[in-house]
Amino acid sequence: LSVQDIYAFSDSIDVMRYCIVVRPLPTETYHLVATNKVERDEWLVLLKRCCKPVHPAVRTIYSITVRITEGKKFQVHHKDSAHHELYCDIVIDNEIKAITGSLKKASNLFWKEDFIFPDVTKVKHGVTIIIYTRRSKKSERESVYGTVFLPVNEIRSNGPIQEEWYEIRKENRHKAFASLTGLGSSNGSLGQLRVGLLSEEHKVYSLDVYQPLIDILMEFRHDIIYSMARKSSDVQAFVRNLLRIYEGIGITLTWMRSLIDYEVSLLNSVIDNYMKMNGKEFLEEALQYTIRLICEQNLHIEVESSRTSTSMNDATLAAHCAELFDYVRSIWGGVQRAKNKFPMYNQITLFNIHFQTSSLYPHIT
């Protein structure tokens, strides 16, 4: 096995959360489910250590990002809309990598879901998005609604991710993809799906090559770090990488404290990304009641005027807004109730930073 044959499955659906995929052969796949994220990551590291050792001077890492944004012109019968829902499988080189959430079947759909696969084998064939339709009350698949296939030469390499519209076709053995030039033809089209794809390639060197950089980070050379941040094309990604390095070294809190005396704007970005990276478990705990309620009731509340039906009157739109506000209040209530479950390490980190910042900048509230 290579390290790419063992990976974490996307957490996009509850039944596959904290799941490890082991794929010894293209036709053989095993799924191992852990009880939480920490346990999954620990097993993932242990299993990867058992893989075939690879010690090249330079290793090439491939990653791919798939964004499912929205769909339009889906074929909907009146009897389908109340009892059916749609979701997508993300398939890379004939292997299912992730599953989107389910939406009530309608002519226009809005997913806006991003899937990032950080360490995959180089894509040989392409990405297939399979759209399924099923009854809302049933968990099993009903049937394939249609597919979109994007061959490897259609996948953008590096640069910002760009979204384009692709026609949805009936599944066929040849998986012929719909190019942009075919959007004007309705022959065989089941609607259109807006998809963004990005393939990235990175070079990873042996640890000794990075040692000078590690020494700079360990010495808290903020002048050099700040200069690197200003030259970075993506400051947020740069900060996230710094946080991962300091987390691995075990001195994140010490580094964050040291930023108070140097550069407040960089500290704000660090705190923001730190909370995003470490607060996910807390948010899942806090929001799960409301999210489960919305999913069980199969709610669809639309308040964006450009996405609502032309027949919707002001009273109906106001009722939608009121219902949406009720669920927003429920979410904030869940956050308030779950505050005691917020990770203690994060509480200590924020308390120390707040205390020191207040002492140095008493005019900032």
Side-chain angles (χ1 to χ4, degrees), residues 80-100:
D80 290 342
S81 59
H83 306 291
H84 286 76
E85 57 189 17
L86 294 167
Y87 68 96
C88 305
D89 276 3
I90 313 300
V91 182
I92 300 177
D93 284 347
N94 300 318
E95 181 182 0
I96 297 176
K97 291 286 189 178
I99 303 173
T100 68

Side-chain angles (χ1 to χ4, degrees), residues 184-204:
S185 172
S186 61
N187 184 27
S189 175
L190 299 173
Q192 297 171 11
L193 193 67
R194 191 177 181 185
V195 180
L197 287 175
L198 178 64
S199 176
E200 296 178 284
E201 179 179 325
H202 306 280
K203 302 293 183 181
V204 179

